[in-house]
Structure formats: C-alpha cells, structure tokens
Amino acid sequence: MDQALLLLNMGGPNNVEEVEIFLRNMFADKNILPMNPYMRRFVANIIISKRLEEVKENYRLLGGKSPLPELTDRLIGKLSKKLDMPIFAAMRYVPPFADRALFACKEKGIEELILFPMYPQYSTTTTLSSIEDIQQRCEEMGYHPKITLIDPYYDDYDYIEASVEKIMEAMEGKNTEEYDLLLSAHGLPMSIIKAGDPYQNHVEGNVSAIKTYLACKGIVFHDIKLVYQSKVGSSAWLEPNLIDVLRNPTHRKVLIYPLAFTIDNSETVFELDIEHREVAEKLKYDDYIVAKCMNDDEKFVDLIVKRVNACTV
C-alpha cells in the first residue's frame, strides 16, 4: 500500500499579511470556539478587531513571519532522508493547507495517509481539529484513503528523553539547583476541559514523566512547576497562569520549557522569549532562560521515524 506522511500543525503566518487569515481561520474553528456559527462569527470579529494590529506588530518583531514554516521544512528535509514516502506539512489555519498535500497524494495514488500531530498531547482544539479538516477536504475532493493517526506521545520514553535534552541544552554551564523549571503548556478554557477534552490529563502526565526522568538521572532543580500560557479573555482557563507566576516570583532564576509545542512559533519566540522576558527584567530576575522546542533535532526526527515505521509493518 502506497503511503504518505502528513505533519499536522496549526501553522504560522508566512508574512504579516497572513496574520488576519490565521486569526480568522482559527476563530472560525468550531473546536476553538464551540458555539453556534452566528455567535462564533460575532465573537471572532470582536476578538480580531481588538487584536489584529497588535498581533501584526508582534510578527514584525519576529522579522515579519512565524519561524514555524521554515523549521517545519527543515524537519521534513531530514525526515525525507530516513523515510521512503512523500512527506507534507498540513497546516490548519495558513498555507500550506491540507488540500495541497491531499491533491498531491490523490494524484500519486496514495492509499494510506499517516497523520503525525505536531502536538504531543491530544486535544479537540488541535489534533481533532486537524483530523476533521483532512476528512472534510478528502470528502470534498472524492478522495478516500485509509487514515492512520499516530497516538499522542507526551509520555513516550524517547520523547521525554529528547525533552530533557532540550532542557539541559538550555542549562549548559549553569547549576540546575539554582533554577526553577517552569514547564509551560498552552492554556485552554475550563469549559473545553469540562466537556471532556483529555488535554489537561495528558499535560499532567507529561510533567510527571519529565520529573521522573530527571530524578532518575539525578538532575535536581530548585523547583519544578507546571504553568499554562496564552490565556485570552476573562473566562476561566487552566491554571496557574504563567504570567501570574512570573509577576509573583518566589525565586528569581527560571528556565521555561515549552511543553506543548514541538516547533518554535510566536508563542515560544515572541510570547515567552520577548514579551514575558520583559516582565522578568522589570521585576529584576537574576536569570530568565527559554529552552528551544524540538524543531529538527535528530532525536525528534528519530521518534517520528520510529512511530511511522511502526505503521508500515
């Protein structure tokens, strides 16, 4: 059976002009704003009108684009050397959308699509949203391949090992015992969690696995905390909120590891490393470090290859 690999992600604007496209597509997603279509459109317009220029300016500070597309291309380049199948990025909210990959797969006679979520933890707002998007686009083009979804890997030993490697890479030359390790996951509204989304449980399992691995390796931090970032609006979200933790310091040396991202994007490079760094500097933190995501690191490449190969047996 001919197979192809699709890497699922939200995507990131390729230029400032795509910021509005990104926001409109994201807030049109029923998994992001679970309400009736008319109310969703109304709420989306309010949010976008308030935030559009601010978000555009954030991307200008990043050089006018998200780092995510280029980093994903580099990852695909490395995967292509180890996997004998077509590999595509399938972004949810900005190009390259899934239909580009699906048209190419249909033309090539691909009979099975292997979907690898770039989200370690499962959520209706991320993995499910991408799957439904692919299913809908396949239906619209009369394409009916077998679809195989790679399971969440938040507690996979290889993934935890690679995560700790990124943490220790950021700590090179420093004493871990002097630092708080803040494991930062993207937040979600509590209404989504209460509706049955497993994301919080997966995040907490991820944190537990990292703590266990660190303990087994004899790596000691001053403290290890789970925090959530990127809260929007006034409704109840998962807590503790990272910015609140930073504004009320109990310790002034911190390392932040982005727990819910595998590819660096605006929420790691801007929110964590620029916006929140400014808060830490104003409060006179002694040190503030942000670890990199997996990106195209070899351990992450090998994890993907291992998971995909398990589907080809």
Side-chain angles (χ1 to χ4, degrees):
M1 181 180 291
D2 289 337
Q3 299 170 308
L5 171 63
L6 274 61
L7 304 181
L8 311 182
N9 213 336
M10 286 187 175
N14 296 279
N15 50 63
V16 174
E17 288 68 36
E18 282 189 357
V19 170
E20 184 170 358
I21 297 171
F22 180 86
L23 293 176
R24 290 205 174 278
N25 284 334
M26 180 169 66
F27 291 122
D29 187 342
K30 64 181 176 63
N31 291 296
I32 298 292
L33 290 179
M35 56 187 69
N36 74 66
Y38 301 104
M39 182 60 70
R40 188 183 308 122
R41 190 177 303 115
F42 177 73
V43 171
N45 285 334
I46 292 174
I47 296 172
I48 292 168
S49 66
K50 287 182 176 180
R51 297 196 62 205
L52 181 58
E53 292 308 315
E54 176 190 348
V55 176
K56 282 185 175 180
E57 184 57 32
N58 294 348
Y59 277 100
R60 289 188 184 100
L61 293 173
L62 296 179
K65 61 182 179 180
S66 169
L68 187 147
E70 182 179 342
L71 289 168
T72 303
D73 287 343
R74 282 165 42 183
L75 174 61
I76 290 173
K78 289 189 176 181
L79 288 169
S80 296
K81 296 176 181 178
K82 297 188 176 186
L83 291 170
D84 185 22
M85 65 178 66
I87 305 170
F88 302 92
M91 302 302 182
R92 185 67 181 87
Y93 303 129
V94 288
F97 294 117
D99 54 5
R100 185 199 68 145
L102 297 176
F103 278 119
C105 289
K106 186 178 180 182
E107 286 291 315
K108 292 175 182 289
I110 298 297
E111 300 169 281
E112 181 180 10
L113 303 176
I114 300 174
L115 309 184
F116 185 91
M118 301 302 287
Y119 323 107
Q121 309 90 10
Y122 182 95
S123 173
T124 57
T125 61
T126 52
T127 300
L128 179 61
S129 177
S130 288
I131 294 168
E132 290 180 342
D133 179 52
I134 286 171
Q135 290 172 333
Q136 179 181 337
R137 291 174 188 264
C138 282
E139 188 65 31
E140 289 170 353
M141 66 177 68
Y143 179 39
H144 304 288
K146 177 183 178 182
I147 294 178
T148 299
L149 176 67
I150 300 291
D151 290 335
Y153 46 94
Y154 63 91
D155 59 352
D156 184 293
Y157 182 88
D158 293 335
Y159 181 72
I160 298 304
E161 182 177 53
S163 298
V164 171
E165 185 175 280
K166 298 306 293 182
I167 289 168
M168 296 311 296
E169 178 185 290
M171 287 298 297
E172 186 175 1
K174 299 180 184 291
N175 181 1
T176 59
E177 295 184 31
E178 296 178 1
Y179 287 77
D180 278 359
L181 172 60
L182 305 183
L183 299 171
S184 185
H186 195 286
L188 277 184
M190 286 305 301
S191 58
I192 292 177
I193 299 299
K194 289 177 180 178
D197 194 297
Y199 177 73
Q200 182 181 14
N201 287 337
H202 287 190
V203 166
E204 290 175 355
N206 198 164
V207 170
S208 177
I210 288 176
K211 285 182 175 180
T212 299
Y213 187 95
L214 288 169
C216 289
K217 295 296 181 181
I219 301 170
V220 178
F221 281 87
H222 176 265
D223 194 10
I224 301 175
K225 301 175 184 176
L226 166 62
V227 294
Y228 292 94
Q229 66 181 90
S230 309
K231 179 180 178 181
V232 178
S234 58
S235 63
W237 278 49
L238 287 166
E239 293 185 344
N241 190 2
L242 170 59
I243 192 62
D244 293 336
V245 171
L246 291 175
R247 285 173 176 160
N248 297 279
T250 56
H251 194 67
R252 292 181 184 269
K253 286 187 177 183
V254 297
L255 165 65
I256 299 179
Y257 178 67
L259 194 69
F261 303 104
T262 53
I263 302 288
D264 276 306
N265 57 81
S266 66
E267 284 161 315
T268 61
V269 179
F270 176 78
E271 185 179 348
L272 294 182
D273 212 8
I274 296 178
E275 191 174 42
H276 288 4
R277 181 180 296 278
E278 290 178 359
V279 173
E281 288 174 349
K282 286 178 182 177
L283 293 174
K284 302 188 184 304
Y285 273 66
D286 296 323
D287 204 4
Y288 177 92
I289 303 170
V290 178
K292 292 292 185 184
C293 291
M294 298 288 176
N295 297 324
D296 62 339
D297 279 14
E298 291 299 331
K299 272 191 168 59
F300 188 48
V301 172
D302 290 342
L303 180 148
I304 297 173
V305 170
K306 182 178 179 181
R307 286 296 188 103
V308 171
N309 283 338
C311 298
T312 63
V313 175

